[in-house]
Amino acid sequence: MSITAETFGVPLKKASEIDILKPLKNLITSRYQTAEQESYVGAINELAKLRSSAVCRTLDYHDSSLETLYRYYDQIVALESKIPSSEIQIPFKWKDAFDKGSIFGGRISLTVASLSYEKVCVLYNIAALQSQVAAGQSGDSDEALKKSAKLFQSAAGIFTHLKSVVHGSVQQEPTPDLQPETLAALAALCVAQAQEVVTVKAINDRMKDQVVAKLCSQCEDMFSEALKHLQKETLKTLWDREWIPRVAGKQSGYHGLAQYHQSRVCNSKKAVGEEIARLKQAMELFKSAQTRSGDTTFFEDSVGRSQRALEEAVKDNDFIYHERVPDVKTLAGIEKAVFAKPTPVAEKFSSSFTDIFESLVPVVVQQAMVSYDTRKQEIVSTEIGKLRESTQLLNSILASLNLPAAIEDVGGEKVPASLREKSLSVSQSGGCEALSKMITELPELLTRNRELLEECERQLAEEKDSDNQLRNQFKERWTRTPSDKLTATFQTNAQKYRKVIDTAVSADSTIREKYESHREGMELLSAGPDNLAASLPSAIANTNGSNPATQRLKQLMEDVETLKAERDAIECELKSATADMKEVFLNALGQDGSINEAAMSTESLGRVFGPLQKQVKESLDRQESLVKNVQEAHGEFSKAATGVGGERETQLKKLAAAYDIFNELLSNLTEGTKFYNDLTQLLVNFQSKINDFCFARRTEKEELMRDLTQGLANQNVGSAPNPPAHHQEAQGPGGKASAPPRPPPPAVNPYQGAPQSTPGAPPVAAAPGAPPQYNNPQVPNLPYPVNPAGMPTPQGYGYPSYPVYTPMPQGYFPYYQQQPQQPPAGYPTGYPAAPYPQQPYANYPYPPQPQPPQQ
C-alpha cells in the first residue's frame, strides 16, 4: 500500500520598501564617536541590501530563499541586542498574508516604527516559507519526506512562539495573520501535516500495521485539533476555500486508515469479527473523507483495499469462523504514537551567520559602561571641585591680606613684580575686550539652542494634536498607540533641556554682574604693566625688605605657588585617568551571562582614583597649615611695616581681586561657550530623533487613514426607501413615471449669456408658468446659463471633493536616559548638567562637555 501526503503551505506576508539607511546612520551618529561611525556605514549598507533581498521581492519556494531570510533575521536579532529596538525609528510596513484585496494587492496592512515588529514579521515569513518548502517536497524520496517533516515542525514551533510574543512586540492591534488565534491555528495545521508526512513514510516503508495504526490515530487527532481552530467564526474567512474541506477530509481519512491498519492487526490475530467491524468503519470514514473534502478521488486507493479486505473477511467469517461482528463503538480505542512536535525557535537560523555589527557592544554592556562613566565622573567632579573651591578660598585670603603685593611693594611710583605679572597675563589673554566679546556672544548661542528646543517641542505638540483630532474623529476605529504613551520620554527630555537652558540664563546673569562689579580693576590690568604705575597712589618708600617677617612671607608665597602647581597637575591626572571597562564587562558577560556592574566599577575606580583622592586630601590639609602660617607672618609683617599708605594698599587689593575674577570669568566663559556648542549638538541629535519619529508616525498614520477611508468607501449604504403611494399613482403604464412635456428652453446668446430674439420676430408662445421663449434661429435653446466661451457652467451640481489630509510631523519610540547626579551639598550652583550622566565642576557655572544620552 502506497499513499502520498498532499500538504499545503502558509502564504507569506509582503513588506514595503523603506529607507533604513538614514535612520540607522542618524542613530549611529548620535551614539558613537566620529572615528567609530565610518566603520558602521558599510554594515548599514549591507543590512539594507539584505533586507531588500529578503522581504522586498517575491521569494521562490526554495532552500536558497530560506537562507536569505535566515541571514536577515539573524542580523536583526544581533542588532536588537546591541541597539534598543525602540530607538530605531523606521516605519516598517507589512501587509496581511491572507488579505486577498483587489487586483492591485492587499488592503490590510500595519505600519509600526519598531525593530521588534520587523523581527516578528520576518520570523512569520520564515515559518510560512518553511511550510511552503515542506509542502513542495517530493513524496518519492525518504530524504525529502524527512526534510518536509522537519520544516513543518520548525514552522509549528515558530507560530507557537509568535503567539506568545506578538502583542508585546507590536504593542497595538496586529493584522489578522498575527492574531494569537490565527497563529495557534497555523501551528496546529503545520504540526498535523508533519505527523501526516511521518505517517505516509511509515505506510510506504511497510512498517508494522500496529505502529502505522498508532501513527494514523494520532494524525487524525491532530487534524481534528487543527480543524477546530480553522473553523472558528473569527478565522473562517481568512483561509483559502479548500483549506477547511481538505483538513476535514484528512481527519476522516486518517481515522479510516487507523481503523484499516488496526483491522490488519486483528486479521493477524484471527479476530475476524473485530476485523469486519473496523473495516466497515474504515469504509464509512473514507466515504466521509471524500464527501467532506469534495473530492471523490480522495483516499480512493484506500477505499479499494478496504473493500477487498472486507469482502474477504466476510467470506472467511461466513464459511469458517462464524464470529459475531461487534458494534464498533464497543471496541477498544486505538493507541496513539506522537512523532511530530513544534520545534523550539533556534537562536541562529543561518549556519553561515556573520555579525556585520560585531564591533557594537550589547545593550547590557552599554548600560554598564554608562553607569561606570557616571560613577567616574562623579568622583572626578567631586575631587576637582574640592581643589578649585579650596584654591579660591586661598586666593580670597591672600587678596584680603594684599599678598604677595604687600611684600613686593617698595613704595614710590613702582609697581610690585607680582602685579606686573598679573597685568601682563591679563593683557596677553585679551583683557576686558576678550571677556566683553564672549559675554556678547552668549545670547546668540543661547538663542540658537532655544530655537532648536522650541522646534522640537512644536513638533511633539503638533503630533499630539493631530493624533487627538483623528482619534476624536474616528473614535474606537483609530487603533494606533496614543501619542502620550510614545512621547513621554521625549517630553521628559525636552523639559530637562528647558531647565538646562533656564539655569544657564541665570548663570549668564551672574557672570555679567561679576564682570560689571570688577570691570574697573580688570580694565586697569588690561592696560598693561607700564600703565599701572599711574593708577597706583604713591607712598613713602618701604625699607622692610630685609625684615625677617618679610622674608618669611616670601617663602610662604613660594609655598603657595608650589601648592597651586601641584593642584593643577592633580586636576590634569584626574581628567585623564581612564580604565577600559568595555573588555572587562564583555568578558564578565561571556563567562557569567550577567554583569555585576556596581562591584566591578567600585573595584576599578578605587584602583584608578584611590591614589589621586589621597593626594587631594593631603593638599587640602597642607593648605590649612599654610594659611595659618601666612596669617601669623602677615601679622608680624604689619607691625614692622612703615612705608605703604592705606589708599595704595586698598588699590593693590582691588587689583589682586580683579585678577582672580578675570581668570574665573575667562574660565567660565570658555567653558560656557563650549557648553552651549555641545548642547547645540545634543539638541540637533535630539531633533534628529524626533524627525525620525515624525516620519515613522506620519507613515503609520497615512496607512491607517487609507485603510479607514477605503473601508468607509466599501460600506453598503443600504437600499432606497419605499416610495409613497402618490409616487406610485404618478407612474404611467409599465411602471414608469409620466411627466408633462418639457417646455423648450430660451434662446441664449453665447456671447452675452442672455435670452435673445431675432429682430422683428414675435415671442414664442410658452406654457403657463414657463419662462418666455424667443425665436432666435442662430442660437439653440439651452436649459442652463452659458459662460463667455460658450461652455455650460454647472451651478449647484457635482459632489464636494474629499478634504485633503495633511499629515503632521511626529516622532516615535523614545530612548532611555540616565538621571543626572546631584553635586555634593554645599557646592555653588551654576549651569546645570544636561540630561546625561555628567557632573558640573563645583563653583564653576558651566558643566564639562555634555555627553549624548545613552541607553
Side-chain angles (χ1 to χ4, degrees):
M1 179 178 181
S2 176
I3 65 173
T4 303
E6 299 179 5
T7 55
F8 47 89
V10 177
L12 278 71
K13 295 176 69 67
K14 295 179 178 62
S16 298
E17 290 274 5
I18 193 69
D19 178 24
I20 69 173
L21 296 176
K22 181 181 176 183
L24 284 178
K25 287 180 179 177
N26 288 343
L27 183 59
I28 294 295
T29 301
S30 65
R31 292 177 67 92
Y32 298 96
Q33 300 299 323
T34 305
E36 298 176 287
Q37 295 171 13
E38 296 299 327
S39 62
Y40 302 130
V41 173
I44 295 173
N45 291 331
E46 185 175 346
L47 183 66
K49 293 178 182 177
L50 189 56
R51 182 182 192 273
S52 180
S53 300
V55 302
C56 296
R57 67 179 181 88
T58 303
L59 296 174
D60 297 329
Y61 299 155
H62 194 269
D63 291 343
S64 60
S65 298
L66 273 175
E67 180 61 25
T68 301
L69 271 177
Y70 290 165
R71 289 173 53 212
Y72 179 55
Y73 177 79
D74 287 343
Q75 293 295 344
I76 293 176
V77 173
L79 184 61
E80 189 181 37
S81 68
K82 299 174 182 181
I83 298 179
S85 59
S86 59
E87 287 200 21
I88 302 179
Q89 303 296 327
I90 302 175
F92 295 109
K93 176 186 176 182
W94 287 82
K95 297 180 181 178
D96 181 80
F98 295 97
D99 180 39
K100 308 300 187 300
S102 63
I103 60 173
F104 301 105
R107 290 188 296 104
I108 300 178
S109 63
L110 178 64
T111 303
V112 179
S114 170
L115 190 62
S116 296
Y117 175 61
E118 173 86 344
K119 185 178 73 171
V120 163
C121 293
V122 174
L123 189 57
Y124 173 95
N125 267 10
I126 288 176
L129 187 56
Q130 284 179 341
S131 71
Q132 295 286 0
V133 174
Q137 296 300 307
S138 171
D140 300 332
S141 166
D142 285 352
E143 291 301 321
L145 289 175
K146 290 179 181 178
K147 180 178 180 180
S148 178
K150 180 180 178 181
L151 289 175
F152 271 129
Q153 291 177 90
S154 177
I158 292 175
F159 287 132
T160 303
H161 169 74
L162 287 176
K163 183 179 66 173
S164 61
V165 303
V166 65
H167 277 300
S169 299
V170 179
Q171 295 186 344
Q172 57 184 289
E173 191 67 17
T175 47
D177 55 357
L178 292 178
Q179 292 286 352
E181 286 187 342
T182 307
L183 296 169
L186 295 177
L189 177 62
C190 286
V191 76
Q193 293 190 114
Q195 180 79 15
E196 178 186 13
V197 171
V198 173
T199 303
V200 168
K201 186 178 185 305
I203 293 173
N204 294 340
D205 290 347
R206 300 184 181 278
M207 296 181 69
K208 293 180 179 181
D209 287 314
Q210 188 173 8
V211 174
V212 174
K214 292 179 180 179
L215 290 172
C216 289
S217 180
Q218 180 62 38
C219 198
E220 182 267 333
D221 266 11
M222 288 182 170
F223 275 115
S224 176
E225 181 69 17
L227 184 63
K228 183 175 67 176
H229 285 287
L230 294 174
Q231 287 183 324
K232 289 184 176 180
E233 288 298 326
T234 55
L235 303 180
K236 290 172 66 174
T237 58
L238 292 181
W239 323 119
D240 290 341
R241 60 183 181 181
E242 70 272 9
W243 276 26
I244 292 179
R246 207 71 177 172
V247 171
K250 287 186 177 186
Q251 178 198 2
S252 297
Y254 281 101
H255 191 184
L257 282 174
Q259 294 289 1
Y260 171 80
H261 285 281
Q262 190 64 28
S263 75
R264 296 301 85 203
V265 175
C266 295
N267 179 269
S268 65
K269 295 179 179 180
K270 305 301 181 182
V272 180
E274 182 179 345
E275 177 188 1
I276 293 172
R278 291 192 183 278
L279 285 172
K280 287 182 178 179
Q281 177 70 6
M283 290 294 297
E284 293 179 4
L285 289 169
F286 288 140
K287 291 179 181 178
S288 174
Q290 293 175 346
T291 301
R292 297 176 75 183
S293 66
D295 184 359
T296 57
T297 64
F298 210 37
F299 289 93
E300 188 174 19
D301 291 343
S302 299
V303 172
R305 290 187 181 88
S306 299
Q307 181 64 41
R308 290 191 294 271
L310 177 60
E311 292 174 354
E312 184 176 346
V314 171
K315 180 179 178 181
D316 290 344
N317 193 46
D318 289 344
F319 286 98
I320 302 174
Y321 301 103
H322 304 288
E323 287 189 12
R324 183 181 64 85
V325 178
D327 188 343
V328 71
K329 295 180 181 178
T330 63
L331 299 177
I334 302 173
E335 295 182 7
K336 305 179 189 302
V338 179
F339 179 87
K341 297 179 180 179
T343 305
V345 178
E347 292 185 6
K348 293 286 185 297
F349 281 100
S350 176
S351 57
S352 58
F353 170 71
T354 301
D355 188 359
I356 58 178
F357 292 97
E358 184 177 6
S359 55
L360 286 177
V361 297
V363 173
V364 291
V365 176
Q366 293 182 34
Q367 293 172 343
M369 292 175 64
V370 169
S371 298
Y372 174 82
D373 288 339
T374 302
R375 298 175 192 273
K376 170 190 169 183
Q377 192 57 52
E378 182 179 359
I379 292 175
V380 172
S381 299
T382 301
E383 299 305 317
I384 290 180
K386 290 178 182 178
L387 292 176
R388 292 187 175 183
E389 183 181 13
S390 182
T391 301
Q392 287 184 354
L393 176 61
L394 178 60
N395 288 337
S396 63
I397 293 174
L398 294 179
S400 66
L401 300 177
N402 192 26
L403 292 174
I407 59 176
E408 297 170 349
D409 190 15
V410 294
E413 303 294 334
K414 293 185 178 181
V415 179
S418 62
L419 190 59
R420 293 180 62 86
E421 293 177 359
K422 291 177 180 179
S423 177
L424 183 62
S425 174
V426 169
S427 60
Q428 289 177 347
S429 298
C432 283
E433 183 178 352
L435 290 184
S436 178
K437 181 180 178 182
M438 297 173 74
I439 292 174
T440 304
E441 291 174 351
L442 285 180
E444 298 178 5
L445 299 175
L446 175 64
T447 300
R448 179 177 59 183
N449 287 320
R450 271 181 170 167
E451 290 174 350
L452 285 170
L453 182 57
E454 288 171 358
E455 174 62 17
C456 293
E457 293 172 334
R458 182 192 65 79
Q459 289 181 324
L460 293 176
E462 287 186 353
E463 195 280 327
K464 179 180 178 181
D465 293 342
S466 173
D467 185 69
N468 290 339
Q469 178 184 357
L470 292 171
R471 193 173 303 279
N472 292 332
Q473 178 182 349
F474 291 101
K475 306 298 182 183
E476 68 278 355
R477 289 176 295 166
W478 194 252
T479 57
R480 74 171 183 167
T481 307
S483 298
D484 290 339
K485 293 184 178 180
L486 299 177
T487 61
T489 305
F490 274 145
Q491 297 286 2
T492 300
N493 291 330
Q495 292 175 5
K496 290 179 180 178
Y497 284 125
R498 175 64 65 185
K499 290 180 180 178
V500 166
I501 292 178
D502 291 343
T503 309
V505 173
S506 176
D508 290 345
S509 176
T510 301
I511 286 178
R512 290 189 181 91
E513 291 176 1
K514 285 187 177 182
Y515 175 76
E516 293 298 333
S517 62
H518 295 83
R519 183 171 184 173
E520 182 181 354
M522 289 187 289
E523 287 178 345
L524 292 175
L525 292 173
S526 301
D530 295 337
N531 299 319
L532 270 180
S535 63
L536 289 175
S538 60
I540 302 174
N542 184 2
T543 60
N544 292 324
S546 59
N547 189 294
T550 303
Q551 296 299 321
R552 186 185 178 193
L553 276 178
K554 288 182 178 180
Q555 181 61 46
L556 289 173
M557 291 302 99
E558 292 179 3
D559 294 342
V560 168
E561 295 302 319
T562 302
L563 182 66
K564 291 181 179 180
E566 290 176 354
R567 289 181 175 178
D568 290 340
I570 295 174
E571 182 173 329
C572 290
E573 290 185 38
L574 284 168
K575 290 180 178 179
S576 61
T578 58
D580 185 10
M581 296 300 294
K582 176 180 175 181
E583 292 300 325
V584 176
F585 289 141
L586 283 173
N587 292 335
L589 182 63
Q591 294 175 2
D592 305 330
S594 61
I595 299 175
N596 188 351
E597 182 274 328
M600 298 173 68
S601 296
T602 301
E603 189 274 333
S604 175
L605 292 172
R607 183 176 63 255
V608 173
F609 291 99
L612 294 175
Q613 289 175 307
K614 183 179 180 181
Q615 293 181 36
V616 170
K617 186 176 183 304
E618 291 174 351
S619 179
L620 298 182
D621 292 340
R622 284 174 56 195
Q623 177 171 316
E624 291 183 7
S625 61
L626 185 59
V627 167
K628 182 179 179 181
N629 293 334
V630 167
Q631 290 173 335
E632 291 177 356
H634 184 268
E636 297 176 0
F637 171 79
S638 299
K639 294 177 182 179
T642 57
V644 180
E647 185 178 351
R648 180 179 177 86
E649 183 175 0
T650 300
Q651 184 69 354
L652 290 174
K653 291 180 181 179
K654 178 180 177 181
L655 292 174
Y659 173 76
D660 292 335
I661 293 298
F662 176 86
N663 285 331
E664 178 186 341
L665 294 181
L666 183 63
S667 176
N668 289 349
L669 288 169
T670 301
E671 292 181 358
T673 302
K674 186 176 185 301
F675 166 81
Y676 276 128
N677 289 329
D678 292 339
L679 182 59
T680 299
Q681 185 59 46
L682 284 177
L683 289 172
V684 168
N685 292 336
F686 184 57
Q687 186 183 38
S688 177
K689 289 178 179 291
I690 291 180
N691 288 338
D692 290 342
F693 173 74
C694 290
F695 177 74
R697 286 283 279 183
R698 181 169 62 248
T699 304
E700 178 188 8
K701 179 169 61 178
E702 290 171 351
E703 293 297 331
L704 184 55
M705 282 287 296
R706 186 179 297 112
D707 290 343
L708 290 174
T709 52
Q710 286 179 350
L712 291 174
N714 294 331
Q715 284 183 355
N716 186 1
V717 297
S719 58
N722 294 326
H726 67 277
H727 286 188
Q728 299 289 340
E729 296 175 357
Q731 292 182 347
K736 296 183 179 180
S738 58
R742 191 173 190 177
V748 180
N749 187 325
Y751 300 99
Q752 297 181 3
Q756 301 290 322
S757 63
T758 304
V764 180
Q773 306 294 310
Y774 296 91
N775 187 10
N776 188 347
Q778 299 179 356
V779 180
N781 291 329
L782 300 176
Y784 39 75
V786 177
N787 62 21
M791 298 300 294
T793 303
Q795 295 180 351
Y797 296 96
Y799 298 97
S801 61
Y802 193 86
V804 177
Y805 172 69
T806 305
M808 305 298 292
Q810 303 147 26
Y812 215 68
F813 273 113
Y815 47 83
Y816 173 79
Q817 193 146 340
Q818 293 285 342
Q819 295 296 329
Q821 301 290 334
Q822 296 298 325
Y827 278 24
T829 58
Y831 282 102
Y836 42 79
Q838 183 78 24
Q839 291 298 314
Y841 291 161
N843 290 311
Y844 279 72
Y846 297 93
Q849 179 180 3
Q851 299 296 322
Q854 298 289 337
Q855 179 73 12

